[in-house]
Amino acid sequence: FDGLGAGDLAWSQRLGEATYLVMLGLAEESAAAGAGLVLEANFSRGGESRLAALPARFVQVHCSAPLEVLVERYASRERHPGHVDSERIDALRDAVETGRHEPLDLPGETIRLDTTEPIDLDALAERVTAPPG
């Protein structure tokens, strides 16, 4: 937003889509070069075909909480105004209620975390970096 400017919800969504495309392109280049990588984003089910095609071992860490906790956190967080978060709360509810925010359909391990509970980060790091098997 600082480089291209903030706008309305449609503009924010266009920039968000472009951001995901850049991230996926970089992931493809990195995986093809044999590099390990971590992708962090608010991914939604249904668009994972490019991710699934990566020559990589997947460990998916899916963070969640009850819907009302997610909505409260979303509404109270401070982010760049270009995200237009106040206009996205209904979309957040819809994504959770329809299952679009469930773990992606990817091969490999899925670790589900309830973020209303403390997370043992050392144990999580050990699990993520453990050899497959």
Side-chain angles (χ1 to χ4, degrees):
F1 297 117
D2 291 337
L4 297 173
D8 61 7
L9 180 59
W11 175 244
S12 177
Q13 290 169 327
R14 285 186 62 208
L15 288 181
E17 289 172 23
T19 299
Y20 277 86
L21 291 173
V22 168
M23 180 175 50
L24 288 171
L26 291 170
E28 289 166 342
E29 287 183 22
S30 297
L37 59 139
V38 173
L39 300 179
E40 188 284 325
N42 189 18
F43 291 104
S44 293
R45 288 183 66 96
E48 53 268 70
S49 60
R50 277 183 74 181
L51 280 174
L54 292 174
R57 175 179 78 95
F58 290 93
V59 178
Q60 186 173 182
V61 179
H62 182 266
C63 300
S64 190
L67 178 58
E68 291 311 313
V69 173
L70 294 175
V71 169
E72 180 184 331
R73 288 175 179 171
Y74 195 88
S76 66
R77 68 185 180 174
E78 291 184 31
R79 294 200 307 166
H80 191 288
H83 289 284
V84 198
D85 284 340
S86 64
E87 295 182 41
R88 294 177 185 254
I89 291 178
D90 288 339
L92 169 65
R93 283 184 183 282
D94 182 64
V96 171
E97 290 171 348
T98 61
R100 285 194 322 274
H101 277 287
E102 286 298 307
L104 301 180
D105 185 16
L106 295 172
E109 181 180 7
T110 298
I111 301 169
R112 290 177 171 264
L113 300 177
D114 178 347
T115 62
T116 60
E117 300 293 327
I119 305 297
D120 182 341
L121 295 178
D122 292 331
L124 177 61
E126 232 177 86
R127 190 167 170 196
V128 168
T129 58

